Amino acid sequence: MLLSISAYGFSQKYSNTQGREVLFGEENEEGLFELYVDPTGFDCECEQITVYLHFIGNNKYTTDDGNVEITVSDKSLNIKVIDETECCFVKKGIYTIE
């Protein structure tokens, strides 16, 4: 699934120690940054997951509701998730460039 998404020109693929993968994309036409999540291995059946984030400064991005915050460094994403009760959602952790 992520290979087909990467064809759209998204900037970087990251993975965590559990093998979960995300793609962090460029700014879209609405001024939001898109985080695509591969739900493989989530222990539930999920469609493709997309999280939309606003840039808030200092290499940080957040969702409208503040539930997800991402800090971007040279080779990693630090993803913080406040409410993790949904199975089909981005998982918190450190994701690094492959």
Side-chain angles (χ1 to χ4, degrees), residues 5-34:
I5 294 170
S6 64
Y8 291 91
F10 290 94
S11 60
Q12 202 61 253
K13 182 167 128 179
Y14 299 83
S15 62
N16 68 7
T17 56
Q18 289 83 28
R20 294 188 175 123
E21 295 180 340
V22 298
L23 285 175
F24 187 60
E26 302 291 328
E27 188 173 12
N28 67 19
E29 56 275 355
E30 290 90 28
L32 299 172
F33 291 83
E34 298 174 335

Side-chain angles (χ1 to χ4, degrees), residues 1 5 7 10 19-21 26-27 29 42 44 46 53 60 64-65 67-68 72 75 77 87 90:
M1 175 182 6
I5 294 170
F10 290 94
R20 294 188 175 123
E21 295 180 340
E26 302 291 328
E27 188 173 12
E29 56 275 355
F42 273 32
C44 53
C46 306
L53 304 129
K60 290 188 179 188
D64 282 340
D65 61 4
N67 188 43
V68 178
V72 180
K75 297 193 181 217
L77 294 178
C87 183
V90 64

Side-chain angles (χ1 to χ4, degrees), residues 20 67 79-93 95:
R20 294 188 175 123
N67 188 43
I79 301 177
K80 297 178 183 176
V81 181
I82 295 170
D83 179 6
E84 294 187 289
T85 57
E86 259 187 76
C87 183
C88 294
F89 199 61
V90 64
K91 305 301 180 192
K92 70 179 176 183
Y95 293 74

